[in-house]
Amino acid sequence: MSAINRIILVGNGFDLAHGLATRYADFINWYWKQWASCLLRSPHKIETDKLCSFGLKDSFSLKGWYLVWQWHYKIPRDFFKDFEKKYDIIDRVKGDTSICDFKSYSLFFDKICAHAERRGWVDIENEYFDALNKEYFEDPAKLNQEFEIVRSKLITYLSSIQETGVKTSIIDQGLKQKIFAPIRTREVAISARKHLLNFIDEQCSNIKNGYPVSEIYDRFGLNKTEESTRALEKFAEEYHGGKIKTFDLESIADDSTIPAALLRPGRVLLLNFNYTRTADLYMPQGEEAEYWFPVYHIHGELEHPDSIIFGYGDELDDRYGELVKLNNNEHLRHIKSIKYLETDNYRKLLAFIDSAPYQVCIMGHSCGNTDRTLLNTLFEHRNCVSIKPFYHAKEDGTDNYLEMVQNISRNFTDMKLMRDRVVNKTYCAPLLPV
């Protein structure tokens, strides 16, 4: 059966659009808040988590942490009931050498914290790949040990976000409509419009030959009216048997005459790059839905911590080739394209893109270098007919469409192909309205 499928690339911007604190900088802020909570209740003079340690000076008793908070820093009792208040207590303790000995054991974590403080953001996976290529990490095994600790704490943090924040009440109906919207012909690459014609042609023939129209509507939960059904059957009657192929490029571009039900994608695959299940809330459930609306958690699931893939995925970077030449497996321990082999998600994805033409819709994924190997496979595959970015619209009237396209272009080796497949801004839309 001829079809055009759709792949939804879900990145962290999708979670952020739902009000979830899933930036890496949010995670780092949480980390230091946990230290504030730990030290307040600590009965020990020294506390450590293998990334750093806090130790009270000998002049303080075992109850010294409590005294530091209440007497030395004048923190009110109300603070002990609400740790979400934004006190800079940890920075003050770290900097007060008269009270505390603070030690850091992780140069890697120091750097990502420093970047978060200076810039307000940090990309831990990029920092990790940069660290692999720095001389001060002569032993990649030591870097990987530090990275594993950060990974473990990130899983703990995101699991708490998943438990408290990911619920059906955050579903946005406008966003749901975008996920299952018709494939507009102006979104399809000029070189690939024959696939769209074949798709519509086969559906017209199927309807003419008795294929139940109701299945097209029921699969996507569409409101089937007598008028819409009649229009669909009339169009199929007129254009079945290959007549749709008489459309030229300009007339097929004007899809207002084509019933929207005929432009619905065949299957919709949710390719989730996040660790949370926010996007899953939008997908139909049930045995049949698993075929029409599959979900691949390409980076693993929080419920199975061992499955979490956290690292770097850019084999096209020249530095990756240099790491391979070093012949030390520790340099490749957290390379995503290798970690993908631990599950069958990547092979299922390859089977999906080989099965039929498909459109890629980008929702909240920056298309940065940390996933470049996988994105290059998707974007340059012979069956890719369209790449549609849903950009972030800002309150000041600006947006990040250009930045997204710049990042998308880095995942191509053929710029001519990129310009044909990427949907221009005129036919794109923000992920969520301002």
Side-chain angles (χ1 to χ4, degrees):
M1 178 180 178
S2 177
I4 293 185
N5 297 325
R6 175 176 287 155
I7 299 176
I8 307 291
L9 302 188
V10 176
N12 189 43
F14 193 92
D15 277 1
L16 296 176
H18 290 82
L20 302 179
T22 52
R23 292 184 179 88
Y24 286 146
D26 294 323
F27 157 64
I28 292 171
N29 289 336
W30 167 85
Y31 171 80
W32 291 118
K33 283 183 180 180
Q34 297 306 298
W35 261 117
S37 177
C38 170
L39 294 182
L40 173 62
R41 295 184 171 90
S42 173
H44 308 293
K45 296 198 71 169
I46 298 177
E47 290 285 353
T48 181
D49 68 351
K50 298 183 180 179
L51 290 177
C52 65
S53 68
F54 289 83
L56 279 174
K57 296 287 188 179
D58 292 339
S59 57
F60 285 85
S61 69
L62 286 179
K63 294 183 178 180
W65 290 114
Y66 183 91
L67 299 179
V68 167
W69 253 247
Q70 192 172 21
W71 294 348
H72 186 78
Y73 292 120
K74 310 300 183 185
I75 301 297
R77 284 187 177 275
D78 288 348
F79 175 76
F80 304 129
K81 298 178 182 179
D82 182 5
F83 295 104
E84 292 304 311
K85 291 185 177 180
K86 294 183 178 179
Y87 285 86
D88 60 344
I89 188 67
I90 286 296
D91 283 341
R92 291 160 68 182
V93 171
K94 285 164 61 178
D96 194 340
T97 57
S98 66
I99 290 176
C100 173
D101 286 323
F102 171 76
K103 295 180 181 178
S104 174
Y105 305 126
S106 173
L107 181 58
F108 171 65
F109 194 63
D110 286 348
K111 288 189 172 297
I112 60 178
C113 287
H115 285 185
E117 291 173 2
R118 288 198 303 268
R119 307 172 189 167
W121 62 269
V122 66
D123 189 329
I124 296 176
E125 292 174 318
N126 265 318
E127 293 293 335
Y128 170 72
F129 188 65
D130 287 343
L132 280 176
N133 290 275
K134 299 293 185 181
E135 294 181 359
Y136 48 75
F137 283 106
E138 295 179 1
D139 181 7
K142 174 67 165 58
L143 171 61
N144 285 334
Q145 290 172 1
E146 297 176 12
F147 190 73
E148 282 289 352
I149 297 172
V150 175
R151 172 182 176 275
S152 176
K153 292 185 178 297
L154 179 63
I155 291 172
T156 299
Y157 173 66
L158 292 178
S159 295
S160 67
I161 297 291
Q162 170 80 27
E163 182 177 352
T164 60
V166 179
K167 44 196 173 184
T168 55
S169 60
I170 67 174
I171 292 176
D172 183 277
Q173 293 303 318
L175 184 51
K176 188 173 184 178
Q177 290 176 9
K178 290 183 174 74
I179 292 174
F180 300 106
I183 299 173
R184 293 302 175 187
T185 54
R186 291 189 183 275
E187 301 170 0
V188 178
I190 298 297
S191 60
R193 286 187 175 171
K194 60 183 179 182
H195 294 302
L196 184 63
L197 292 173
N198 289 337
F199 180 37
I200 298 172
D201 177 40
E202 182 160 328
Q203 292 197 87
C204 287
S205 295
N206 289 338
I207 293 171
K208 178 62 179 174
N209 293 327
Y211 182 84
V213 173
S214 60
E215 289 197 19
I216 297 177
Y217 289 91
D218 292 344
R219 187 181 307 154
F220 289 93
L222 302 174
N223 182 27
K224 183 184 67 173
T225 65
E226 183 177 343
E227 181 181 357
S228 63
T229 301
R230 188 165 53 250
L232 187 61
E233 292 174 341
K234 179 181 178 182
F235 187 89
E237 171 71 28
E238 184 174 354
Y239 288 103
H240 82 283
K243 294 178 183 177
I244 187 70
K245 296 180 182 179
T246 62
F247 275 39
D248 58 29
L249 291 180
E250 286 306 314
S251 56
I252 191 64
D254 180 15
D255 56 26
S256 60
T257 60
I258 305 174
L262 290 181
L263 296 171
R264 300 281 171 175
R267 299 169 69 196
V268 179
L269 164 64
L270 174 66
L271 188 61
N272 187 22
F273 287 80
N274 296 337
Y275 306 109
T276 62
R277 290 183 173 273
T278 311
D280 299 53
L281 298 174
Y282 289 84
M283 301 302 278
Q285 303 297 314
E287 186 175 342
E288 185 176 343
E290 290 181 6
Y291 173 80
W292 292 108
F293 309 106
V295 179
Y296 299 161
H297 297 275
I298 197 68
H299 286 165
E301 303 168 76
L302 292 170
E303 295 86 350
H304 307 286
D306 290 342
S307 73
I308 295 297
I309 296 176
F310 184 52
Y312 199 78
D314 184 7
E315 294 174 358
L316 302 180
D317 192 303
D318 293 338
R319 294 177 297 170
Y320 177 79
E322 295 301 317
L323 291 178
V324 172
K325 292 177 184 178
L326 295 175
N327 200 30
N328 183 339
N329 285 344
E330 286 295 329
H331 285 109
L332 307 181
R333 183 169 296 280
H334 294 290
I335 298 300
K336 289 179 180 178
S337 56
I338 295 175
K339 298 289 286 183
Y340 288 148
L341 298 177
E342 294 184 349
T343 71
D344 66 347
N345 281 328
Y346 190 78
R347 292 183 66 84
K348 289 193 296 185
L349 175 61
L350 292 180
F352 187 92
I353 64 177
D354 276 340
S355 67
Y358 60 88
Q359 177 188 51
V360 175
C361 289
I362 303 168
M363 296 189 171
H365 197 298
S366 69
C367 296
N369 290 349
T370 56
D371 293 309
R372 190 177 176 192
T373 301
L374 176 54
L375 296 181
N376 172 260
T377 300
L378 290 176
F379 293 168
E380 291 198 337
H381 193 280
R382 66 183 184 280
N383 278 338
C384 180
V385 302
S386 170
I387 301 170
K388 183 177 182 178
F390 286 86
Y391 54 85
H392 171 56
K394 304 174 185 179
E395 293 184 357
D396 63 2
T398 63
D399 60 68
N400 71 336
Y401 173 83
L402 180 59
E403 180 183 345
M404 288 187 69
V405 172
Q406 290 169 334
N407 287 344
I408 290 170
S409 71
R410 295 187 182 98
N411 295 281
F412 275 86
T413 59
D414 184 338
M415 292 298 103
K416 180 180 178 181
L417 192 65
M418 183 275 293
R419 287 187 289 272
D420 189 25
R421 290 183 175 177
V422 176
V423 180
N424 63 60
K425 188 176 180 181
T426 306
Y427 304 113
C428 291
L431 185 63
L432 292 178
V434 178

